[in-house]
C-alpha cells in the first residue's frame, strides 16, 4: 500500500476515534460541572460557527430567562478565564438574558484539541449554517487527511451531499453572507453556481432577493445551458453517481471531452482510486 493511502487510513481512523472521544467528553458532567461567572468566559477564536442570527438569539434569550440554560457550556481554563469549546450561542443568549453565571463543564485540553472538539461537536449536532458546514468539512478533510468519501462514511452523509456543500464555497463572498443570513436558500446558492463569474453571481443574487424569486423562477431566469441529447445527459448523471462529483460530457465539435471536477488534492486522490489510477 502506498504512503498516501496509509496516511488516508490513519486520518480516517484518528477522526473516528476523536469523534467517539468527543461524544464521551460531552456526556460527562459530574464533578467537572460548575457555575462560571459569565464575565470570565471568552469566545473561542477557532469556533467554526461564525454567524449568529439576531432573531434566534433573542428567542433563545427569552427561553433562558424562563427556563435557564438546560445544557451546560463546554469550557477550558486559560490564563484570561475560560474559553468556550462548545456552546457560544448559549453564552450569547445568556448574556442577552442578563445572567451573571452559567453552568459549564471544564475540560483539561490544549488549544489544538479544543479546536478539534468544537468542530466535531458542531457538525455532529448539525448546529452550523450551510457556509459554516462547508468550511467545517474542508477543515476536517485538511486536518485529518480525509477524502470526501472517507468523510461521508464518518458522518453518515452521502458523498454527493458533502461534495455539493463544499462547492458552495465557490460563490461570491457576499452571496455566502446572504446564505448565512437566510436571505437566500441553499437551492438558490446551488443554482447560482451555474454562473462561473462571481460578480454575475452577486448581481443575480441581489436580483433574486429584491424580486423574491422562487427556485422555479430563478431557474427560468438563469442562462440556459445548451440543450443536450438525452443520452449524454444520462451519461453525465451516471458518471456523477459513480465518481461523486460534477462531470461534463462535451460531445460537440472536433474534440470531444469528458471533464471531471475535483475540489482538493484529497478529492483528486479519491477519484483516481475509483478509476483505478495508480499513484506511482
Amino acid at each position: 500500500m502506498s504512503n498516501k493511502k496509509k496516511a488516508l487510513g490513519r486520518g480516517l481512523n484518528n477522526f473516528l476515534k476523536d469523534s467517539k472521544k468527543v461524544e464521551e467528553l460531552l456526556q460527562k458532567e459530574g464533578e467537572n460541572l460548575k457555575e462560571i461567572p459569565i464575565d470570565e468566559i471568552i469566545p473561542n477564536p477557532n469556533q467554526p460557527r461564525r454567524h449568529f442570527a439576531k432573531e434566534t438569539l433573542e428567542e433563545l434569550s427569552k427561553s433562558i430567562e424562563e427556563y435557564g440554560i438546560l445544557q451546560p457550556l463546554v469550557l477550558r481554563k486559560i490564563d484570561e478565564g475560560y474559553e468556550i469549546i462548545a456552546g457560544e450561542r448559549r453564552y450569547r443568549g445568556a448574556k442577552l438574558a442578563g445572567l451573571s453565571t452559567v453552568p459549564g463543564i471544564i475540560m483539561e485540553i490544549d488549544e489544538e484539541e479544543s479546536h478539534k472538539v468544537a468542530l466535531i461537536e458542531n457538525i455532529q449536532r448539525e448546529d452550523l449554517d450551510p457556509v459554516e458546514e462547508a468550511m467545517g468539512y474542508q477543515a476536517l478533510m485538511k486536518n485529518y487527511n480525509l477524502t470526501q468519501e472517507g468523510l461521508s462514511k464518518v458522518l453518515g452523509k452521502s458523498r454527493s451531499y458533502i461534495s455539493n456543500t463544499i462547492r458552495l464555497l465557490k460563490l461570491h463572498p457576499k452571496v455566502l453572507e446572504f446564505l448565512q443570513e437566510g436571505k437566500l436558500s441553499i437551492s438558490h446558492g446551488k443554482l447560482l453556481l451555474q454562473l462561473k463569474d462571481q460578480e454575475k453571481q452577486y448581481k443575480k443574487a441581489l436580483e433574486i432577493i429584491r424580486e423574491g424569486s422562487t427556485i422555479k423562477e430563478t431557474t427560468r431566469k438563469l442562462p440556459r445551458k445548451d440543450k443536450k441529447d438525452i443520452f449524454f445527459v444520462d451519461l453525465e448523471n451516471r458518471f456523477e453517481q459513480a465518481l461523486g462529483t460534477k462531470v461534463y460530457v462535451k460531445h460537440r465539435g472536433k474534440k470531444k471531452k469528458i471533464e471531471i471536477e475535483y475540489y482538493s488534492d484529497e478529492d483528486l486522490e479519491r477519484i483516481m482510486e475509483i478509476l483505478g489510477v495508480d499513484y506511482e
Side-chain angles (χ1 to χ4, degrees), residues 28-190:
K28 289 174 71 174
E29 296 183 12
E31 60 188 34
N32 291 329
L33 181 62
K34 300 177 180 178
E35 281 291 323
I36 308 295
I38 201 164
D39 291 339
E40 295 181 18
I41 297 174
I42 301 166
N44 185 346
N46 293 317
Q47 161 66 249
R49 183 165 195 160
R50 300 294 182 187
H51 181 256
F52 298 86
K54 183 179 178 181
E55 289 183 5
T56 55
L57 273 180
E58 289 174 349
E59 289 174 4
L60 177 61
S61 174
K62 290 176 183 176
S63 174
I64 289 173
E65 285 179 2
E66 187 170 356
Y67 302 107
I69 294 182
L70 303 179
Q71 185 177 16
L73 280 68
V74 182
L75 312 165
R76 76 181 184 103
K77 188 74 177 73
I78 58 174
D79 292 340
E80 298 83 359
Y82 296 88
E83 185 179 82
I84 300 172
I85 299 173
E88 184 169 341
R89 186 168 171 270
R90 276 164 274 154
Y91 159 75
R92 289 174 180 246
K95 286 194 78 173
L96 276 178
L99 269 62
S100 58
T101 64
V102 294
I105 300 170
I106 314 303
M107 293 173 61
E108 295 183 4
I109 56 177
D110 59 24
E111 185 176 355
E112 182 180 347
E113 286 291 318
S114 172
H115 185 203
K116 190 182 297 180
V117 172
L119 195 53
I120 295 172
E121 194 266 353
N122 271 282
I123 288 179
Q124 282 179 335
R125 298 189 181 196
E126 298 183 342
D127 199 28
L128 304 175
D129 65 47
V131 179
E132 292 165 338
E133 185 179 358
M135 293 173 69
Y137 291 162
Q138 269 197 342
L140 288 174
M141 290 171 66
K142 179 180 178 182
N143 294 341
Y144 288 88
N145 202 17
L146 286 168
T147 62
Q148 289 186 2
E149 184 177 14
L151 190 60
S152 74
K153 290 178 180 177
V154 172
L155 299 178
K157 297 179 184 290
S158 72
R159 191 172 59 207
S160 60
Y161 174 86
I162 289 173
S163 174
N164 287 331
T165 301
I166 292 174
R167 283 184 71 229
L168 290 173
L169 298 179
K170 292 185 175 183
L171 291 167
H172 189 288
K174 289 297 293 183
V175 177
L176 293 177
E177 285 184 25
F178 294 152
L179 283 172
Q180 291 188 290
E181 294 165 358
K183 294 178 180 178
L184 291 175
S185 69
I186 300 176
S187 296
H188 280 118
K190 289 178 179 178

Side-chain angles (χ1 to χ4, degrees), residues 226-268:
D226 292 338
K227 290 185 178 179
K228 292 184 179 179
D229 186 295
I230 191 168
F231 168 78
F232 289 101
V233 173
D234 180 61
L235 192 60
E236 284 182 342
N237 290 335
R238 288 171 182 266
F239 272 124
E240 288 173 3
Q241 288 174 9
L243 300 178
T245 191
K246 194 71 180 172
V247 177
Y248 302 93
V249 178
K250 299 186 176 182
H251 61 97
R252 294 180 180 175
K254 291 183 179 180
K255 292 184 179 180
K256 320 296 183 184
K257 296 180 182 179
I258 297 177
E259 294 183 358
I260 302 170
E261 286 192 358
Y262 68 96
Y263 312 107
S264 64
D265 290 343
E266 291 79 10
D267 199 28
L268 177 59

